[in-house]
Structure formats: structure tokens, C-alpha cells
Coordinates of all heavy atoms in Angstrom, one line a residue:
L1372 N -16.6 -5.2 -6.0 CA -16.7 -3.9 -5.3 C -15.3 -3.6 -4.8 O -14.6 -4.5 -4.2 CB -17.6 -4.0 -4.1 CG -19.1 -4.4 -4.5 CD1 -19.8 -4.6 -3.2 CD2 -19.7 -3.3 -5.3
V1373 N -14.8 -2.4 -5.0 CA -13.5 -1.9 -4.5 C -13.7 -0.6 -3.8 O -14.3 0.3 -4.4 CB -12.5 -1.8 -5.6 CG1 -11.1 -1.4 -5.0 CG2 -12.3 -3.1 -6.3
N1374 N -13.2 -0.4 -2.6 CA -13.2 0.8 -1.9 C -11.8 1.2 -1.6 O -10.9 0.3 -1.2 CB -14.0 0.7 -0.6 CG -15.4 0.5 -0.8 OD1 -16.1 1.2 -1.6 ND2 -16.0 -0.6 -0.2
Y1375 N -11.5 2.5 -1.7 CA -10.1 3.0 -1.4 C -10.1 4.0 -0.3 O -11.1 4.6 0.0 CB -9.6 3.7 -2.7 CG -9.7 3.0 -3.9 CD1 -10.7 3.2 -4.8 CD2 -8.7 2.0 -4.3 CE1 -10.8 2.5 -6.0 CE2 -8.8 1.3 -5.5 CZ -9.9 1.5 -6.3 OH -9.9 0.8 -7.5
D1376 N -8.9 4.0 0.4 CA -8.7 5.1 1.4 C -7.2 5.4 1.3 O -6.4 4.5 1.0 CB -9.1 4.5 2.8 CG -9.3 5.6 3.8 OD1 -9.3 6.8 3.4 OD2 -9.5 5.3 5.0
Y1377 N -6.9 6.6 1.7 CA -5.5 7.0 1.6 C -5.3 8.2 2.5 O -6.2 9.0 2.8 CB -5.0 7.3 0.2 CG -5.7 8.5 -0.5 CD1 -5.2 9.7 -0.4 CD2 -6.9 8.2 -1.1 CE1 -5.9 10.8 -1.0 CE2 -7.6 9.3 -1.7 CZ -7.1 10.6 -1.7 OH -7.7 11.6 -2.3
E1378 N -4.0 8.4 2.9 CA -3.6 9.6 3.7 C -3.5 10.7 2.7 O -2.6 10.7 1.8 CB -2.3 9.3 4.4 CG -1.7 10.4 5.2 CD -2.7 11.0 6.3 OE1 -3.2 10.1 7.0 OE2 -2.8 12.2 6.4
K1379 N -4.3 11.8 2.9 CA -4.3 12.9 2.0 C -2.9 13.7 1.9 O -2.6 14.2 0.8 CB -5.3 13.9 2.4 CG -6.7 13.4 2.1 CD -7.9 14.3 2.4 CE -7.6 15.7 2.9 NZ -8.8 16.5 3.2
S1380 N -2.1 13.6 2.9 CA -0.9 14.4 2.9 C 0.3 13.6 2.2 O 1.4 14.1 2.1 CB -0.4 14.7 4.3 OG -0.2 13.5 5.0
T1381 N 0.0 12.4 1.7 CA 1.0 11.5 1.1 C 1.5 12.0 -0.2 O 0.7 12.4 -1.1 CB 0.5 10.1 1.0 OG1 0.1 9.6 2.3 CG2 1.6 9.2 0.4
D1382 N 2.8 12.1 -0.5 CA 3.4 12.3 -1.7 C 3.6 11.0 -2.4 O 4.7 10.4 -2.2 CB 4.7 13.1 -1.6 CG 5.4 13.4 -2.9 OD1 4.7 13.2 -4.0 OD2 6.6 13.8 -2.9
F1383 N 2.7 10.6 -3.3 CA 2.8 9.2 -3.9 C 3.9 9.1 -4.9 O 4.4 8.0 -5.2 CB 1.4 8.9 -4.5 CG 0.4 8.5 -3.5 CD1 -0.5 9.5 -3.0 CD2 0.2 7.3 -3.1 CE1 -1.4 9.2 -2.1 CE2 -0.8 6.9 -2.1 CZ -1.6 7.9 -1.6
A1384 N 4.4 10.3 -5.4 CA 5.5 10.3 -6.4 C 6.8 9.8 -5.8 O 7.7 9.3 -6.5 CB 5.6 11.6 -7.0
K1385 N 7.0 9.9 -4.5 CA 8.2 9.5 -3.8 C 8.4 7.9 -3.7 O 9.4 7.4 -3.5 CB 8.4 10.1 -2.5 CG 7.6 9.5 -1.4 CD 7.8 10.2 0.0 CE 7.1 9.5 1.1 NZ 7.4 10.1 2.4
Y1386 N 7.3 7.2 -3.9 CA 7.3 5.8 -3.8 C 7.6 5.1 -5.1 O 6.8 5.2 -6.0 CB 6.0 5.2 -3.2 CG 5.7 5.7 -1.8 CD1 4.7 6.7 -1.5 CD2 6.5 5.2 -0.7 CE1 4.5 7.1 -0.3 CE2 6.2 5.7 0.6 CZ 5.2 6.6 0.8 OH 5.0 7.1 2.1
K1387 N 8.8 4.5 -5.2 CA 9.2 3.8 -6.5 C 9.5 2.3 -6.3 O 9.4 1.6 -7.3 CB 10.5 4.5 -7.0 CG 10.4 6.0 -7.2 CD 9.5 6.3 -8.4 CE 9.4 7.8 -8.7 NZ 8.3 8.2 -9.5
T1388 N 9.8 1.9 -5.1 CA 10.1 0.5 -4.9 C 9.2 -0.1 -3.7 O 8.8 0.7 -2.9 CB 11.6 0.3 -4.5 OG1 11.8 1.0 -3.3 CG2 12.5 0.8 -5.6
Y1389 N 8.9 -1.4 -3.8 CA 8.1 -2.0 -2.8 C 8.5 -3.4 -2.6 O 9.4 -4.0 -3.3 CB 6.6 -2.0 -3.3 CG 6.4 -3.0 -4.5 CD1 6.0 -4.3 -4.2 CD2 6.7 -2.6 -5.8 CE1 5.9 -5.2 -5.3 CE2 6.6 -3.5 -6.8 CZ 6.2 -4.8 -6.6 OH 6.1 -5.7 -7.6
N1390 N 8.0 -4.0 -1.5 CA 8.2 -5.4 -1.2 C 7.0 -5.8 -0.3 O 6.2 -5.0 0.1 CB 9.5 -5.8 -0.6 CG 10.0 -7.2 -0.9 OD1 9.1 -8.1 -1.2 ND2 11.2 -7.4 -0.8
Y1391 N 6.9 -7.1 -0.1 CA 5.8 -7.6 0.8 C 6.3 -7.9 2.2 O 7.5 -8.3 2.3 CB 5.3 -9.0 0.2 CG 4.7 -8.8 -1.2 CD1 5.5 -9.0 -2.3 CD2 3.4 -8.4 -1.4 CE1 5.0 -8.8 -3.6 CE2 2.9 -8.3 -2.7 CZ 3.7 -8.4 -3.8 OH 3.2 -8.3 -5.0
F1392 N 5.5 -7.8 3.2 CA 5.9 -8.2 4.5 C 6.2 -9.6 4.5 O 5.5 -10.4 3.9 CB 4.8 -7.9 5.5 CG 4.7 -6.5 6.0 CD1 3.7 -5.6 5.6 CD2 5.7 -5.9 6.7 CE1 3.6 -4.3 6.0 CE2 5.7 -4.6 7.2 CZ 4.6 -3.8 6.8
D1393 N 7.3 -10.0 5.2 CA 7.7 -11.4 5.3 C 6.7 -12.3 6.1 O 6.5 -13.5 5.8 CB 9.0 -11.6 6.0 CG 10.2 -11.0 5.1 OD1 10.0 -11.1 3.9 OD2 11.2 -10.6 5.7
D1394 N 6.0 -11.7 7.0 CA 5.1 -12.5 7.9 C 3.6 -12.3 7.6 O 2.8 -12.4 8.5 CB 5.4 -12.1 9.4 CG 5.2 -10.6 9.6 OD1 5.0 -9.9 8.7 OD2 5.2 -10.2 10.8
M1395 N 3.3 -12.1 6.3 CA 1.9 -11.9 5.9 C 1.1 -13.1 6.2 O 1.5 -14.3 5.9 CB 1.8 -11.5 4.4 CG 2.0 -10.2 4.1 SD 1.5 -9.8 2.4 CE 2.3 -11.0 1.4
E1396 N -0.1 -13.0 6.7 CA -1.1 -14.0 6.9 C -2.2 -13.7 6.0 O -3.2 -13.0 6.4 CB -1.6 -14.1 8.4 CG -0.5 -14.4 9.3 CD -0.2 -15.9 9.5 OE1 -1.1 -16.7 9.2 OE2 1.0 -16.3 9.8
T1397 N -2.2 -14.1 4.7 CA -3.1 -13.6 3.7 C -4.5 -14.3 3.8 O -5.4 -13.7 3.3 CB -2.6 -13.8 2.3 OG1 -2.5 -15.2 2.0 CG2 -1.3 -13.1 2.1
G1398 N -4.6 -15.4 4.4 CA -5.8 -16.1 4.4 C -6.0 -16.9 3.1 O -7.1 -17.5 2.9
L1399 N -5.0 -16.9 2.2 CA -5.1 -17.7 1.0 C -4.2 -18.9 1.1 O -3.3 -19.0 1.9 CB -4.6 -16.8 -0.2 CG -5.4 -15.5 -0.5 CD1 -4.7 -14.6 -1.5 CD2 -6.8 -15.9 -1.1

């Protein structure tokens, strides 16, 4: 099961690069 949510005003085309937070506590 997958559910999505997003900010409607977001311009997704402007996002080209990403990284992960350094201090993630994933539970894995």
C-alpha cells in the first residue's frame, strides 16, 4: 500500500538534485 501527499503549489520541475539528511534515523 502506498499513499502520497504533496504541496500543490510546488514546481517539481525545479528539483534536479538531491541528497539524504546526514542524521536520518531510518529504523532499518
Side-chain angles (χ1 to χ4, degrees):
L1372 300 173
V1373 180
N1374 293 309
Y1375 307 99
D1376 198 6
Y1377 62 94
E1378 176 60 45
K1379 288 181 5 180
S1380 63
T1381 302
D1382 176 14
F1383 288 90
K1385 76 178 186 176
Y1386 296 108
K1387 302 289 184 201
T1388 60
Y1389 70 94
N1390 207 337
Y1391 300 92
F1392 279 112
D1393 291 331
D1394 58 350
M1395 278 192 311
E1396 299 276 334
T1397 66
L1399 298 168

